[in-house]
Amino acid sequence: MAERIDVTGEWQRISMRYASVESISTVIWWLIAGVGATVPIWLVNDGDMPWWGWLPLIAAILLIVIGVTFSFLRTRTIGYLQRDDDLLVRRGMLFRRFVAVPYGRMQVVDITQGPIERMFGLKTLKFVTAAATSAVTIPGMPGDTAEQLRDHLVAVSESRRAGL
Amino acid sequence: MTEPGYPQQPQQAPPPAPQRPDARAKAAELVDGEWHQLHPATPLLRGGLSLIIFAGVLFSIFRDRLIGLFVPDEFGSEWEQDAFGDFVVDQLLWVALGVIGLVLVLVALFWVGWRVHRFRITGDAVEVQQGIFVKKHRRAPLARIQGINIQKPWFARLFGACKFEIQQAGNDSNVDLNYLSTSVADALRYEILNRASGRSTADSQRLAAERQQAAGGVVNEFLHPDAEISNVAPDSLVRIPVGRIVASSLLDGWIVWAVLYVVGTLVVIFGFQQWWAVFAILPAAIAFFAAGMRSLGAKLRYSIAATPDGIRLAYGLASTTTEILPPGRIFALQVKQPLLWRPFGWWQVTFTRAGKMSSDGSGSGGQNQQMANYLLPVGDLRDVRTVIGLVLPELAQSSLIDQGVLGQAPDDFVVSPPRARAFRWFSVRRNGFHVHPAAFLLRHGRIWRSMHLVPGARVQSVAMQQGPIYGMARLARVQFHVPGSVLSPSIGALDQQDAATLFEHATRTVKVAIDTDASESWASSLSRNAVLETAPAVQDGLMPPPPQPQEQAASAAPPSAPQQPESAQWQPPADRWQPPPADRWQPPREQQQQPPQRVQQQPPQPEQQQPPSFGQRPPRDES
């Protein structure tokens, strides 16, 4: 297989704990879906489970395994790179996406933290530019790095504010 | 600017047209920083329609009865059972009192609403206050104006009023001054744009004097709703014959579909004797007809011109809209050709803006929404070049436009490699991009031809993507993110080396473009150099001067600056390009200042066999 696209540089990886965050939400999601599909089958058959009744649950468990594996693989690929004039964010292994946002173009920098992220002490950084399509997020920022990066970005983009 | 020696006392000048200085004085009064009221007919125009509709509903309810009053014998029996009507007739006094009371309350509310709806224009912002129970105060900085448009719905024109909309970036962030007196609206727009542009007082007075002189005689509100501006600027740079507008509307994609739909339904009706299908055809036919007439009405008087404050668009037959888009407020352009226009060589240019034109709720909203995206509804290649030249003067005479809309592989564009044929069956030799210092050009499609132009200084961010299938074919997609939802320029099925180089280069170009961009207060950045008055284009570095020292210096830049090879190619036509009349604006981007110092930092793609001299690359071998 051929070389895939890549951008070389001092990439900052996000915390691998983010893979656990993603795994947990994957597990919860697919368990709900699997159980939600299995229980009605059980009820419809008056408590007598046919062999194929377990298929949704098995499928859900398979998907959980795949999802967890991929979330670990994907987390390894998420990263950001602060360059002189722009911030570069990458994510995805199979579906690779690199986004470059010039510092002067950042309109809003958000930090969010969901309940599972809070358990692992991670935060998500989100940049908004004037273009709706360039939604850039960096999940899994440990500890204070999210705040530090935000303050840095705000300071840099203040000095390079460029309107729209 | 055409007459530099013109005396500079426009306001006191003996009036050739008495109402001109008047309007300007009135407008100057409006921008004094105090609170002002809107046009007195505003409550009627905003609420009057609902009253008329109310009266219409009442009338339709009692129509039979009213007729019965005059023709009692024949219809007498029909309204015997109308209990509501009987009740109304019985209690006529009370009902009448109630209706009158309701009308009075409504009128009072509208009147109070008008009293508290005020606006003021200070040195750096427009502020609007409105609301009786819920107060609303909106303040919009002048420097961020995305455009000002004046809409004149036909019923408002009867009152000499018009809508005045100051566009700001964002979804619901426009500042509406509905309604203003038509006589001051144009002048007020110039006052606001003068302030927003940071133009000096002398300059703005001189411009006003030119306008006043050009306007000359009588301003006929109905024949020339945009008389003041159409006279100052050269008349529309593009003339669209009526026949072309009609024909292009008929051949436009969805009208063809509409006709197909109607024909198909007719076949169902008469071929298969399914008479119920009549109910499917009638409403659709009416809707298609109405939509077609509306878009036709809008296109019929389309005009585009350059003014010192940007591009002026005007359109509309009964309800007119004139709009001024200051420099740098157009974020991307698309030139495209519906398939059926191809035999005629017609093209369409759409653009995307940061703001959103609010619909006026008077039925012409659809027209405005649709026209709001057209820079050129229909035109031949020459018109396309003219229009693009207004937005990107650097490209006006460039052969890149022709190549972009018509050309294919061996030319200045970098196209998909032959192995991308699976993804671009017919257009593999056309699908490609070109990086010009001023803009990114992306061309697509051999059957449905189109080209995107994205000014470098307006790009918000750039993305490069590759999915697993593209990965196997070593292809990639590059996206340019711009505000607005009208256009989303991207180019897929590129060789991944090319994509990486484009991505790498785009981020650098965008940075330079942002640094040199000064469209926020466009006139002050121009007037910084007084010499610009004589030859703004050349002085500003927009038009290459006859000897090109900067260009040659830049062409020594290392390989990863892909615009260099072509710069030698598009230069000769650019030399013939005469700077236009000086009163057209020039977006002050100084594109020749490429960042050669950054280019050396990293050779972007070491494994690339040949340097990406994009211009002359032959079609790549299949590997």
Side-chain angles (χ1 to χ4, degrees):
Chain A
M1 181 144 164
E3 282 275 303
R4 299 284 302 268
I5 50 167
D6 209 347
V7 177
T8 50
E10 298 266 315
W11 286 95
Q12 304 277 320
R13 293 267 183 78
I14 63 165
S15 163
M16 278 309 283
R17 279 176 291 168
Y18 180 69
S20 314
V21 174
E22 276 221 323
S23 306
I24 290 175
S25 54
T26 313
V27 168
I28 292 175
W29 175 248
W30 283 115
L31 271 187
I32 290 175
V35 171
T38 314
V39 168
I41 297 177
W42 185 68
L43 288 177
V44 164
N45 290 286
D46 299 326
D48 182 22
M49 199 63 171
W51 65 268
W52 50 267
W54 298 106
L55 284 184
L57 203 58
I58 294 169
I61 289 168
L62 271 180
L63 284 170
I64 285 174
V65 172
I66 293 172
V68 168
T69 318
F70 268 81
S71 68
F72 274 89
L73 289 175
R74 188 166 55 235
T75 304
R76 286 163 51 86
T77 66
I78 301 177
Y80 60 94
L81 177 60
Q82 295 182 60
R83 299 196 294 190
D84 291 351
D85 310 314
D86 52 13
L87 182 81
L88 202 56
V89 179
R90 68 180 289 170
R91 77 184 301 161
M93 182 187 55
L94 281 178
F95 294 88
R96 298 190 179 192
R97 181 174 151 98
F98 299 81
V99 182
V101 189
Y103 291 126
R105 289 293 193 231
M106 286 179 194
Q107 309 285 337
V108 176
V109 185
D110 274 344
I111 293 183
T112 57
Q113 193 178 35
I116 306 174
E117 283 180 312
R118 190 170 308 143
M119 290 185 337
F120 288 87
L122 298 176
K123 281 166 187 165
T124 298
L125 204 62
K126 186 178 177 194
F127 314 102
V128 181
T129 70
T133 38
S134 60
V136 181
T137 56
I138 309 180
M141 305 276 288
D144 285 342
T145 48
E147 278 86 357
Q148 283 165 11
L149 181 59
R150 177 193 61 190
D151 294 344
H152 175 70
L153 290 176
V154 169
V156 174
S157 52
E158 253 328 292
S159 64
R160 310 187 187 202
R161 176 70 57 196
L164 290 181
Chain B
M1 290 177 214
T2 46
E3 291 180 65
Y6 193 83
Q8 306 217 342
Q9 62 279 28
Q11 272 171 308
Q12 292 78 24
Q19 63 268 60
R20 291 300 95 196
D22 231 26
R24 194 161 179 254
K26 258 193 253 170
E29 207 174 280
L30 285 180
V31 295
D32 58 359
E34 296 298 315
W35 291 100
H36 292 280
Q37 228 115 60
L38 298 169
H39 191 275
T42 303
L44 192 66
L45 291 168
R46 289 166 82 97
L49 276 186
S50 58
L51 283 183
I52 292 170
I53 292 169
F54 182 63
V57 169
L58 272 186
F59 176 75
S60 75
I61 288 176
F62 296 107
R63 183 187 49 199
D64 286 351
R65 194 171 285 269
L66 283 175
I67 293 170
L69 284 180
F70 301 104
V71 205
D73 297 340
E74 288 167 48
F75 293 88
S77 57
E78 279 191 24
W79 43 274
E80 289 295 333
Q81 291 86 15
D82 187 0
F84 180 63
D86 287 343
F87 170 78
V88 171
V89 172
D90 288 346
Q91 309 288 332
L92 192 57
L93 180 66
W94 296 110
V95 171
L97 277 182
V99 168
I100 291 172
L102 191 66
V103 168
L104 280 182
V105 167
L106 282 179
V107 167
L109 276 181
F110 281 127
W111 187 78
V112 175
W114 172 72
R115 287 286 299 181
V116 299
H117 194 167
R118 303 181 300 170
F119 70 96
R120 77 173 172 191
I121 294 151
T122 58
D124 58 348
V126 184
E127 286 174 76
V128 178
Q129 257 188 354
Q130 67 185 103
I132 306 169
F133 303 113
V134 182
K135 292 269 180 204
K136 193 168 128 187
H137 188 134
R138 177 168 274 182
R139 184 176 186 281
L142 291 180
R144 292 294 174 93
I145 287 179
Q146 298 292 320
I148 302 184
N149 65 60
I150 297 179
Q151 295 177 36
K152 298 174 184 168
W154 59 269
F155 57 87
R157 284 165 72 185
L158 298 178
F159 291 91
C162 63
K163 299 182 146 200
F164 194 91
E165 184 181 52
I166 301 170
Q167 290 190 0
Q168 296 282 334
N171 212 352
D172 177 33
S173 46
N174 293 350
V175 177
D176 299 326
L177 306 182
N178 302 344
Y179 289 75
L180 280 185
S181 171
T182 313
S183 55
V184 294
D186 281 335
L188 179 63
R189 169 155 66 183
Y190 283 111
E191 290 295 333
I192 292 178
L193 286 174
N194 277 341
R195 296 198 174 193
S197 66
R199 188 173 287 131
S200 68
T201 321
D203 269 357
S204 47
Q205 285 193 351
R206 189 167 43 80
L207 283 175
E210 275 171 29
R211 277 196 289 273
Q212 179 188 328
Q213 197 198 30
V218 185
V219 174
N220 186 323
E221 188 52 39
F222 279 85
L223 291 179
H224 297 285
D226 54 342
E228 184 159 358
I229 22 187
S230 70
N231 277 312
V232 64
D235 259 350
S236 177
L237 295 173
V238 173
R239 289 239 176 268
I240 313 179
V242 177
R244 182 185 294 177
I245 294 173
V246 175
S248 68
S249 297
L250 288 178
L251 294 173
D252 202 352
W254 68 269
I255 298 234
V256 172
W257 288 117
V259 169
L260 284 182
Y261 175 81
V262 169
V263 168
T265 327
L266 283 178
V267 167
V268 170
I269 292 175
F270 295 107
F272 299 93
Q273 309 289 318
Q274 302 289 322
W275 303 111
W276 53 265
V278 172
F279 296 108
I281 199 172
L282 269 182
I286 291 170
F288 284 141
F289 182 74
M293 288 315 285
R294 222 170 30 214
S295 75
L296 204 61
K299 286 176 189 171
L300 272 179
R301 293 224 313 206
Y302 163 87
S303 77
I304 183 170
T307 71
D309 288 316
I311 297 170
R312 193 252 315 174
L313 283 168
Y315 46 83
L317 197 58
S319 304
T320 63
T321 303
T322 63
E323 178 165 24
I324 290 187
L325 295 164
R329 265 65 174 177
I330 288 176
F331 287 82
L333 291 170
Q334 189 189 21
V335 187
K336 69 174 177 188
Q337 186 173 51
L339 188 59
L340 292 170
W341 288 12
R342 196 165 174 155
F344 308 96
W346 294 337
W347 300 86
Q348 189 175 59
V349 183
T350 51
F351 72 102
T352 178
R353 61 173 93 206
K356 198 175 174 189
M357 198 185 272
S358 49
S359 72
D360 58 0
S362 69
S364 58
Q367 162 191 323
N368 291 330
Q369 294 298 332
Q370 192 189 7
M371 284 303 288
N373 304 328
Y374 286 147
L375 210 54
L376 179 70
V378 56
D380 55 25
L381 211 48
R382 205 170 41 112
D383 300 336
V384 169
R385 225 179 276 124
T386 311
V387 166
I388 290 177
L390 285 179
V391 183
L392 294 160
E394 303 89 332
L395 286 170
Q397 296 296 308
S398 162
S399 61
L400 285 171
I401 305 269
D402 290 355
Q403 293 180 4
V405 296
L406 298 170
Q408 57 174 341
D411 62 4
D412 290 347
F413 280 68
V414 185
V415 295
S416 301
R419 65 174 183 278
R421 189 169 289 277
F423 301 93
R424 297 285 183 276
W425 289 2
F426 303 108
S427 63
V428 69
R429 289 172 64 208
R430 218 181 110 66
N431 182 70
F433 69 91
H434 181 94
V435 180
H436 184 273
F440 301 97
L441 291 84
L442 318 172
R443 74 176 177 196
H444 315 269
R446 187 156 160 203
I447 295 172
W448 282 273
R449 295 157 163 169
S450 75
M451 175 173 68
H452 280 110
L453 293 106
V454 191
R458 302 268 80 81
V459 175
Q460 302 296 314
S461 55
V462 193
M464 173 168 63
Q465 281 170 302
Q466 187 182 46
I469 298 173
Y470 265 17
M472 277 189 281
R474 302 198 313 285
L475 301 174
R477 168 178 292 275
V478 175
Q479 269 182 322
F480 295 90
H481 298 143
V482 292
S485 53
V486 182
L487 300 175
S488 49
S490 80
I491 179 90
L494 288 178
D495 183 78
Q496 66 182 26
Q497 301 296 346
D498 292 343
T501 317
L502 172 63
F503 181 69
E504 197 64 35
H505 182 76
T507 56
R508 272 201 299 272
T509 315
V510 168
K511 198 259 167 191
V512 175
I514 292 174
D515 286 351
T516 53
D517 180 53
S519 56
E520 229 176 51
S521 48
W522 55 95
S524 63
S525 56
L526 280 180
S527 56
R528 248 181 257 138
N529 311 342
V531 266
L532 288 185
E533 296 290 325
T534 51
V538 174
Q539 292 291 339
D540 212 27
L542 291 172
M543 300 298 159
Q548 301 133 7
Q550 302 107 314
E551 290 288 327
Q552 270 134 27
S555 67
S560 65
Q563 81 283 15
Q564 301 312 338
E566 60 79 21
S567 71
Q569 288 169 12
W570 68 268
Q571 219 67 62
D575 274 344
R576 277 187 270 117
W577 166 246
Q578 290 302 312
D583 59 351
R584 94 211 264 303
W585 62 271
Q586 302 294 340
R589 307 195 192 95
E590 292 156 42
Q591 297 297 346
Q592 277 103 343
Q593 300 172 1
Q594 284 299 314
Q597 75 282 4
R598 291 223 61 233
V599 176
Q600 276 110 356
Q601 288 189 357
Q602 31 178 313
Q605 302 305 328
E607 63 271 82
Q608 203 164 356
Q609 287 91 358
Q610 54 189 118
S613 54
F614 287 169
Q616 290 94 359
R617 177 179 301 189
R620 206 186 325 273
D621 292 340
E622 182 65 74
S623 43

